[in-house]
Amino acid sequence: MKANSVHFILSGKTPYKDLVPAFPDILKMFLMETDQMPEDEEILMMFIELNIADLERNMKPEGYNRRGRMRLVFPTDRNEFYIKAVGKGVDVARVGERISEMLSASGVQYKTVNNDIPEI
């Protein structure tokens, strides 16, 4: 079985604003690992600033849900975020482990859940 998505479920009443310290590094790493890093530094900073502004207000941020091999999604109905593979050959588990390390280093309380799909 190969992971199709990795969910980071915030524990109890852990607020979104607890993600603020780790989020810039998570987004940069995510974009680099998935070959989606914008060429223009200003675009990257815009993505970070828009998401951080929502997180600081303890609101669900946009994440990164654009075309690409993987997406970083914050669902509207749950206090979590997840990364999801869109194409084949994407190592979601490895990227998930790196995000998990960043969350732990920032003291964010969460648990992870991997959704697996059969390998073909």
Side-chain angles (χ1 to χ4, degrees):
M1 298 294 262
K2 185 174 182 177
N4 182 46
S5 66
V6 178
H7 295 249
F8 301 92
I9 303 166
L10 301 179
S11 299
K13 295 187 180 200
T14 301
Y16 278 127
K17 64 184 176 185
D18 283 3
L19 298 175
V20 169
F23 190 81
D25 291 333
I26 289 172
L27 183 59
K28 288 176 190 174
M29 180 276 303
F30 172 82
L31 293 172
M32 288 179 65
E33 289 287 334
T34 60
D35 297 322
Q36 299 181 83
M37 182 65 80
E39 290 182 24
D40 188 345
E41 180 75 17
E42 288 182 21
I43 293 173
L44 172 63
M45 295 312 298
M46 177 195 66
F47 286 136
I48 291 171
E49 289 173 17
L50 290 173
N51 281 281
I52 291 293
D54 287 337
L55 290 171
E56 287 175 337
R57 291 190 312 265
N58 202 32
M59 296 173 54
K60 177 194 93 64
E62 177 184 345
Y64 195 85
N65 197 10
R66 288 163 179 74
R67 287 186 191 193
R69 300 180 313 149
M70 196 180 303
R71 297 192 175 143
L72 175 64
V73 179
F74 285 80
T76 58
D77 60 343
R78 297 180 303 278
N79 197 23
E80 71 174 74
F81 68 97
Y82 62 90
I83 54 174
K84 178 177 177 46
V86 177
K88 294 181 180 181
V90 180
D91 193 355
V92 174
R94 183 175 53 79
V95 175
E97 287 174 14
R98 294 199 55 202
I99 291 173
S100 187
E101 290 169 3
M102 293 175 179
L103 291 173
S104 294
S106 294
V108 176
Q109 300 296 310
Y110 69 98
K111 68 177 183 176
T112 58
V113 176
N114 292 353
N115 287 336
D116 299 329
I117 56 172
E119 288 196 50
I120 298 174

